[in-house]
């Protein structure tokens, strides 16, 4: 029996574990994919207080080493159901097993939003269509690539790729960016980044491997661009359906919770990007983790 099971090993989840461990709790962290969450795929983290610059991967590694040193148990296993039992404990079922805890913190984060195309070419994901430039960009050194998106992730991807790709084309729906001014300035200063505004990518083309994209320009003309790789950065979406029995979800699938990080079920808390909130940044995810773990620890102290 664990004191707290944390679902998710991103910034929010590992911070939850950190604070729970420092409160003397026995903690299990369940992660369905890879340690670090979204931040681990970020080329550069430059807006975390006291750290001028660090890669997202290094930041996540440091956080993992910190909780591991304090005794956190970590399992790569996806949580698929949470049930509150009559004795007030919780059963957390996973794809490969089942675990018991006195409290649960959901920090499931968000996943990359996939671009909906005319012919639903999901078969090309990993074969020229990618959602992580950090992971897959190096395969295209010296080649031309494209980035789809207009916010911080897309801007960071373009800057990263421009360092080793021959040319980077940025396709944006509008004629402006929605990211940090410093990133926009850096992108516009790069000679090998070409911005193609007012465009809408409507299809991926290729037989087994990406060969190009189809897009409409500002006049509505259907155009084709032959390119071997496209990196999509159009936002994220939550994956909380498995927890709907213990936490209310809004229309977009985010868990309804305020700054206390409490859900509708006593003993179940939520932290990070998977909950309803106005700002989703690594700093706010970490703040949520601290709040959720502190409130979970207080809940445990008051259990009869």
């Amino acid at each position: 029996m664990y004191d707290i099971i944390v679902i998710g090993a991103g910034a929010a989840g590992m911070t939850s574990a950190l604070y729970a461990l420092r409160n003397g709790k026995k903690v299990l962290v369940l992660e369905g994919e890879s340690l670090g969450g979204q931040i681990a795929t970020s080329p550069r983290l430059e807006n975390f207080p006291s750290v001028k610059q660090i890669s997202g991967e290094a930041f996540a590694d440091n956080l993992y080493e910190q909780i591991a040193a304090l005794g956190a148990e970590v399992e790569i296993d996806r949580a698929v159901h949470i049930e509150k039992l009559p004795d007030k404990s919780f059963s957390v079922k996973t794809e490969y097993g089942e675990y018991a805890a006195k409290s649960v913190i959901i920090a499931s984060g968000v996943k990359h939003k996939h671009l909906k195309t005319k012919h639903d070419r999901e078969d090309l994901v990993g074969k020229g269509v990618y959602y992580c430039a950090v992971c897959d960009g190096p395969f295209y050194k010296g080649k031309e690539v494209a980035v789809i998106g207009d916010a911080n992730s897309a801007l960071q991807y373009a800057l990263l790729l421009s360092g080793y790709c021959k040319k980077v084309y940025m396709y944006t729906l509008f004629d402006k960016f929605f990211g940090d001014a410093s990133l926009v300035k850096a992108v516009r200063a790069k000679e090998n980044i070409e911005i193609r505004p007012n465009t809408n990518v409507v299809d991926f083309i290729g037989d087994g491997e990406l060969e190009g994209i189809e897009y409409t320009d500002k006049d509505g003309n259907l155009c084709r661009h032959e390119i071997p790789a496209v990196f999509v950065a159009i936002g994220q979406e939550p994956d909380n359906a498995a927890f709907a029995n213990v936490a209310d979800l809004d229309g977009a699938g985010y868990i309804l919770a305020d700054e206390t990080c409490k859900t509708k079920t006593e003993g179940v808390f939520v932290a990070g990007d998977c909950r309803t909130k106005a700002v989703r940044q690594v700093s706010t995810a970490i703040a949520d983790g601290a709040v959720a773990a502190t409130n979970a620890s207080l809940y445990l102290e008051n259990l009869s």
Side-chain angles (χ1 to χ4, degrees):
M1 172 76 72
Y2 293 93
D3 292 316
I4 299 173
I5 289 178
V6 179
I7 298 173
M14 288 197 284
T15 301
S16 296
L18 173 64
Y19 274 72
L21 290 161
R22 287 176 58 82
N23 275 316
K25 307 306 178 189
K26 184 179 180 182
V27 178
L28 170 67
V29 180
L30 296 172
E31 172 54 55
E33 295 185 3
S34 56
L35 298 176
Q38 292 288 315
I39 193 60
T41 67
S42 177
R44 288 185 296 274
L45 176 60
E46 298 177 319
N47 59 356
F48 191 77
S50 82
V51 179
K52 289 184 179 180
Q53 180 178 302
I54 188 173
S55 73
E57 182 179 14
F59 179 84
D61 286 346
N62 290 345
L63 191 48
Y64 171 73
E65 290 174 5
Q66 192 173 13
I67 65 171
L70 290 173
E73 296 182 39
V74 180
E75 294 287 343
I76 303 301
D77 198 357
R78 185 183 303 278
V80 297
H81 186 70
I82 302 171
E83 183 178 355
K84 188 169 186 179
L85 304 177
D87 64 357
K88 295 185 179 182
S89 69
F90 292 89
S91 167
V92 178
K93 294 181 180 179
T94 67
E95 291 181 335
Y96 302 109
E98 185 174 357
Y99 303 89
K102 299 174 184 176
S103 181
V104 178
I105 298 174
I106 302 169
S108 52
V110 290
K111 59 184 180 180
H112 293 293
K113 187 179 293 184
H114 282 213
L115 183 67
K116 304 299 180 184
T117 58
K118 187 166 52 179
H119 293 105
D120 193 27
R121 298 301 306 273
E122 288 293 305
D123 60 305
L124 293 177
V125 174
K127 299 175 181 179
V129 177
Y130 304 100
Y131 290 85
C132 176
V134 178
C135 314
D136 303 299
F139 295 120
Y140 295 91
K141 288 181 179 179
K143 298 182 180 180
E144 294 189 351
V145 299
V147 173
I148 302 172
D150 53 20
N152 280 340
S153 292
L155 292 162
Q156 286 190 326
Y157 281 4
L159 286 170
L160 174 72
L161 294 165
S162 71
Y164 49 74
C165 291
K166 180 180 178 181
K167 190 165 186 177
V168 180
Y169 297 89
M170 287 197 75
Y171 285 87
T172 66
L173 276 174
F174 306 100
D175 59 357
K176 63 178 180 179
F177 289 107
F178 299 90
D180 294 344
S182 59
L183 290 175
V184 174
K185 183 179 180 180
V187 163
R188 293 193 184 280
K190 285 283 187 177
E191 293 185 358
N192 65 333
I193 296 179
E194 180 179 320
I195 301 165
R196 295 190 170 181
N198 299 309
T199 53
N200 182 27
V201 176
V202 296
D203 212 0
F204 299 130
I205 302 166
D207 183 14
E209 294 282 341
L210 181 74
E211 297 171 11
I213 61 174
E214 281 188 349
Y215 67 95
T216 55
D217 63 17
K218 64 179 180 179
D219 298 317
N221 299 310
L222 184 63
C223 309
R224 178 168 174 156
H225 183 182
E226 294 186 0
I227 198 97
V230 172
F231 296 87
V232 183
I234 57 172
Q236 296 84 32
E237 57 188 0
D239 187 18
N240 293 320
F243 315 126
N245 63 310
V246 294
D248 288 329
L249 311 182
D250 71 3
Y254 291 94
I255 293 175
L256 291 168
D258 60 17
E259 299 303 316
T260 65
C261 296
K262 297 178 180 179
T263 70
K264 70 174 183 180
T265 302
E266 281 194 322
V268 177
F269 302 84
V270 60
D273 289 356
C274 64
R275 80 167 179 90
T276 50
K277 57 196 308 182
V279 179
R280 292 184 172 89
Q281 293 287 313
V282 65
S283 55
T284 63
I286 286 172
D288 276 4
V291 171
T294 299
N295 284 337
S297 296
L298 290 172
Y299 166 80
L300 293 176
E301 297 300 325
N302 292 324
L303 275 180
S304 58

